[in-house]
Amino acid sequence: MLVPLDGGGLWTAESGGVRWVCGFTDEAALARFAQARSSLDAGGGTGHTADAGRPWEFAELRGARLLDEIVPAMGVPAGVAVNIADPDGSMLFPPVTGIVPDAAAVDRVDADAPAVAPAHSEGQGR
């Protein structure tokens, strides 16, 4: 996975009480995202100064490492959003059992308190 870097960390976005790490399967998918960001920024909507013509710094990470190590370390409900600029090819890997380690899953059901509680009282993520 190619994950853009933002201020020294991985590029993330928040939606629905979940922090999403934005990853891309190849440089073409990342370029489409950069182009979409540039179009949004030209309209004055986001406050970012992304420029699709400039090189974007990114980290190359295995998807399993994102889900098994990085997401749980974030300490908040988090998942991975893949190819978000591609309406027909985007994928979401939410923070639920079977996708992330049980300790980071918002739908975890056991006697212990969840390591990561659902954000904003959004239920059990189901």
Side-chain angles (χ1 to χ4, degrees):
M1 299 291 310
L2 307 179
V3 181
L5 300 176
D6 182 35
L10 300 177
W11 186 297
T12 64
E14 187 165 335
S15 179
V18 175
R19 175 65 50 184
W20 297 97
V21 177
C22 301
F24 302 90
T25 54
D26 56 31
E27 289 188 32
L30 177 56
R32 288 188 294 277
F33 173 74
Q35 182 63 44
R37 294 292 306 173
S38 180
S39 295
L40 284 174
D41 294 338
T46 64
H48 291 284
T49 57
D51 176 8
R54 71 168 169 83
W56 281 49
E57 285 188 73
F58 59 86
E60 290 187 62
L61 302 165
R62 293 195 180 276
R65 181 166 182 228
L66 283 170
L67 292 168
D68 294 342
E69 298 175 25
I70 294 171
V71 162
M74 294 176 76
V76 297
V80 178
V82 180
N83 293 346
I84 58 176
D86 298 342
D88 293 331
S90 60
M91 298 172 277
L92 296 176
F93 296 89
V96 296
T97 304
I99 302 291
V100 299
D102 289 346
V106 297
D107 65 342
R108 177 177 145 190
V109 287
D110 64 20
D112 298 329
V116 178
H120 310 291
S121 299
E122 293 187 14
Q124 297 297 316
R126 295 180 193 180

